[in-house]
Amino acid sequence: MPNGIVDPSTTYSAGKKATCLTGYIPITVKAMNAKILAPAPADQYQTSETFVEMQQAGGNYAATAVGGTNSITGTYNIFSKVCFPNNASAVAGLQTVQLLIHGATLDHTYWDTAPGYSYVDAVADAGYATFSYDALGTGLSDHPDPLQVVQAPLHVEVAHQMIYALREATLEGRKFKHLTGVGHSAGSTIMQGVTTKYPADYDAIILSGTSTSFASINAATAGFALELARLDPSGRFSQLPNGYFSQGAVVQAVQFSFWRYPNFDPKILQLQFETRQTNTLGELLTLGSIIAPSTGYTGPVDVVNGLNDFVFCGGDCTYPTSQAQAVIDLFYPAASKTGSQTYLQPDSGHVLAQHYNAADGYNHMIKFLQQNGIV
């Protein structure tokens, strides 16, 4: 069980609305992962072929690449960031912490990118604390085996342990009345895994960048032009083993699936491109395994998508019906009917928090929590 941030450093959120502590939390987890039978690609040629075979019509790559289960236990250092409002009266009355989980090829900075593009700032202004972290295998957190260890089931257990720490006030001695979850993309999928296995963990959840449809994921993945991370020309991932991937080294590999032109600042796109992160073969082969109806979760659900999300909606989250509402209907049959909501942020792609109108989405999410009595 994590017992606090080791050697914390003090910093500020992008717009200086919050004071933050950053550092590492050593966390011991046990998960029943999948046994990956496929080897890591030996070079970029095999990497490209792997993704071709994953998407091949009538193909069965996953069926031959995965076989059986694999019990994993380990202690890993997770880079974490906890932020409190700068307003002294807001800090004194703090009741709620929001646990933020980023998506694949992103890291914790997705929630605090730049002034005007910071969910951390927006909710600090509304009186909320936030806790974000780099997922295992991402950013400043440990990077263990990309096939057998960095998988979706283990991500669920890491999130559960973080929730336990926040619930039990073992993190910097802080006691919170409410704990909410906010996920994006793969982070939303991890949260779904948590609500299915541990339905009492969250008081409310906000899922963004997700749907019930996987029809456009293959096209989006192809657009990423994934490469072996160690070959990235920036040199940031040169020590990572094969099996870690990053998006291609041209900005179009990020724009194609994540952004909706012209509703973004090219400087923010460039920043996201320059700070893009990694994902693993283990994650790609196991994320689907944790998706199931969360029949035991009874709290409110908010699903927030960019209207033009290409990854999960093929560019139109109203076709053939609201993909946001479909998530609640299919995956959360016992969720609060009166408290649950949806929002489609206009003229926005998958990374809706990095578009010009990101504040519209933030405001909706804050109002969702307030209307459910989570303040």
Side-chain angles (χ1 to χ4, degrees):
M1 179 184 70
N3 58 8
I5 295 177
V6 176
D7 297 327
S9 298
T10 302
T11 184
Y12 296 97
S13 58
K16 301 192 183 316
K17 300 286 187 179
T19 298
C20 307
L21 297 176
T22 64
Y24 292 90
I25 295 180
I27 183 169
T28 299
V29 289
K30 181 177 182 179
M32 189 58 69
N33 276 2
K35 182 180 291 184
I36 306 300
L37 305 178
D43 52 31
Q44 186 58 39
Y45 296 108
Q46 286 192 8
T47 297
S48 296
E49 179 59 26
T50 295
F51 290 109
V52 169
E53 292 180 16
M54 279 186 180
Q55 300 169 38
Q56 181 174 314
N60 63 345
Y61 178 86
T64 59
V66 179
T69 58
N70 191 13
S71 181
I72 298 292
T73 302
T75 299
Y76 308 101
N77 291 312
I78 304 297
F79 183 82
S80 305
K81 178 179 179 180
V82 58
C83 297
F84 302 98
N86 277 335
N87 184 298
S89 61
V91 171
L94 266 179
Q95 299 187 70
T96 301
V97 60
Q98 300 189 32
L99 178 66
L100 316 179
I101 307 180
H102 64 79
T105 72
L106 302 168
D107 62 13
H108 77 280
T109 62
Y110 173 75
W111 305 106
D112 192 31
T113 302
Y117 301 90
S118 172
Y119 182 74
V120 172
D121 275 332
V123 298
D125 230 11
Y128 295 97
T130 56
F131 180 94
S132 57
Y133 65 94
D134 286 343
L136 187 66
T138 302
L140 297 173
S141 291
D142 283 352
H143 287 69
D145 186 309
L147 276 69
Q148 308 304 338
V149 176
V150 185
Q151 295 185 14
L154 193 69
H155 285 316
V156 169
E157 300 305 325
V158 170
H160 175 63
Q161 286 290 334
M162 292 299 188
I163 293 164
Y164 179 82
L166 293 168
R167 286 283 192 194
E168 297 301 312
T170 58
L171 185 64
E172 302 304 323
R174 177 67 60 172
K175 183 70 175 179
F176 296 103
K177 180 180 179 181
H178 299 296
L179 190 147
T180 65
V182 186
H184 176 69
S185 194
S188 292
T189 303
I190 292 165
M191 282 179 52
Q192 287 181 256
V194 172
T195 55
T196 298
K197 190 171 183 179
Y198 306 107
D201 271 9
Y202 296 113
D203 296 312
I205 60 171
I206 301 173
L207 307 175
S208 67
T210 190
S211 78
T212 62
S213 172
F214 304 101
S216 54
I217 288 180
N218 281 350
T221 302
F224 292 153
L226 291 167
E227 63 182 10
L228 289 173
R230 66 175 178 82
L231 299 180
D232 186 274
S234 71
R236 292 183 299 138
F237 313 122
S238 60
Q239 301 303 312
L240 294 182
N242 292 1
Y244 278 95
F245 308 114
S246 65
Q247 288 161 305
V250 292
V251 71
Q252 292 87 353
V254 174
Q255 179 186 342
F256 179 81
S257 296
F258 279 2
W259 301 74
R260 183 69 172 191
Y261 182 81
N263 190 30
F264 61 84
D265 184 339
K267 293 180 181 178
I268 299 298
L269 168 60
Q270 184 66 28
L271 177 61
Q272 202 276 308
F273 168 70
E274 292 174 356
T275 58
R276 67 196 182 283
Q277 283 294 327
T278 58
N279 62 0
T280 72
L281 184 60
E283 289 171 310
L284 291 167
L285 290 172
T286 60
L287 272 171
S289 70
I290 63 172
I291 299 175
S294 297
T295 56
Y297 176 80
T298 58
V301 179
D302 191 21
V303 182
V304 182
N305 285 338
L307 174 63
N308 305 111
D309 188 318
F310 185 80
V311 178
F312 280 100
C313 302
D316 183 358
C317 282
T318 67
Y319 179 83
T321 185
S322 170
Q323 290 302 302
Q325 185 61 48
V327 170
I328 297 175
D329 294 342
L330 179 61
F331 294 128
Y332 290 96
S336 168
K337 302 301 182 187
T338 57
S340 295
Q341 300 179 20
T342 65
Y343 178 70
L344 298 179
Q345 185 173 300
D347 302 316
S348 299
H350 186 63
V351 288
L352 60 159
Q354 295 178 338
H355 284 68
Y356 280 133
N357 55 343
D360 294 343
Y362 301 159
N363 291 336
H364 164 83
M365 293 154 81
I366 292 167
K367 289 179 181 177
F368 159 76
L369 294 174
Q370 292 172 340
Q371 290 169 3
N372 279 283
I374 298 174
V375 297

